[in-house]
Amino acid sequence: MDIQKSDALRRMPVLSLVLPCYNEQEVLPETTRQLEALLARLQASGEIAEGSAIYYVDDGSRDATWDMISSYSEQSDKVCGIKLSRNRGHQNALLCGLLTAPGDILISLDADLQDDLEAIPRMVAEYRKGSEIVFAVRRRRNKDTFFKRVSAESYYKFLAFMGVQIVYNHADFRLMSRRAVESLRSYDETHLFLRGLIPQLGYKSSTVEFDRAERFAGESKYPLTKMLSLAWQGVTSFSAYPLRLITGVGMAISILSLAMAFWAIVTKLFTNQALPGWASTVIPMYFLGGVQLLSLGIIGEYVAKIFESSKNRPRFHVESLCGKGFSEDGSR
């Protein structure tokens, strides 16, 4: 009976689309229109079951985003909303949506319509073939600026070099089965980097390629500073390589210092070329001082993560829910 039920879910799963939102009032009308049309089409073709819906996660928006979500949820049983008590960042909002929304499969995507919606039917098809996780991977980066393209591709390669398991050119556009989501629930990471965490779940996965479009409206909520912060998060959350690098640098400097000391002694005893000067003193002093400060900074970053994790504070608080996808008491 369980096998038959599992096969039925594979054939026609309930799909939940999870979209974190922060000040997205300009794009929400078009996003809702396109996603509702997509759900209706997939349901009519028998690819997903009735009860599939859109779940917007309002990450403490300061504009009319939540008012619009609430209004859409009253007009349509395909739209639901999750409101966080304050802004907690994209990764926490996304995790909240995944852990709160119901459904047999959940697909996370951005609300700005840059993720190709036509990739969603192919992701569902991969799930029906047996994949528990389906990663949407960018086919090319021709829409990015030269700097963003080079920096992004270099970053993925750098993470791989650091030993971080990550899917190349994949962000947060992915499908997860209910089984994978429940496994993700057991992770108590304080510093979230989902694109590095989810591949560690280990379930059968596959990839679907897509082309990323231009943002439909509004401004990007990921400026350079936030991108750099997320990048550093990925390195320090999943790799101890920087700490090992400090050890290697320390050993190399020690060996170099001993070699220089030996050279100075030989020069002093056997030649007349020894010239007193400040360079031999000041340059090594500044160099070693810089290395020490850099090393302390890297160690401090890891210590700070330990400190923040030890407090075990909640990653988010849900202020309110709306939509027919939730029962009156707020349960799934």
Side-chain angles (χ1 to χ4, degrees), residues 245-260 287-288:
L245 184 63
I246 291 174
T247 304
V249 171
M251 291 179 63
I253 291 176
S254 298
I255 294 172
L256 180 61
S257 300
L258 290 174
M260 290 179 65
F287 177 68
L288 290 175

Side-chain angles (χ1 to χ4, degrees), residues 159-180:
L159 283 179
F161 173 75
M162 288 285 189
V164 181
Q165 184 181 356
I166 195 167
V167 179
Y168 187 74
N169 269 341
H170 165 71
D172 289 303
F173 186 22
R174 70 179 72 87
L175 177 149
M176 298 181 69
S177 68
R178 172 53 56 185
R179 181 185 183 188

Side-chain angles (χ1 to χ4, degrees), residues 89-127:
H90 178 271
Q91 295 291 283
N92 281 308
L94 178 54
L95 180 68
C96 174
L98 292 173
L99 300 184
T100 306
D104 303 313
I105 56 176
L106 297 90
I107 294 181
S108 59
L109 67 159
D110 291 337
D112 56 15
L113 293 178
Q114 286 190 279
D115 295 327
D116 183 11
L117 302 188
E118 292 307 313
I120 291 178
R122 289 184 281 133
M123 297 167 77
V124 174
E126 289 296 323
Y127 165 78

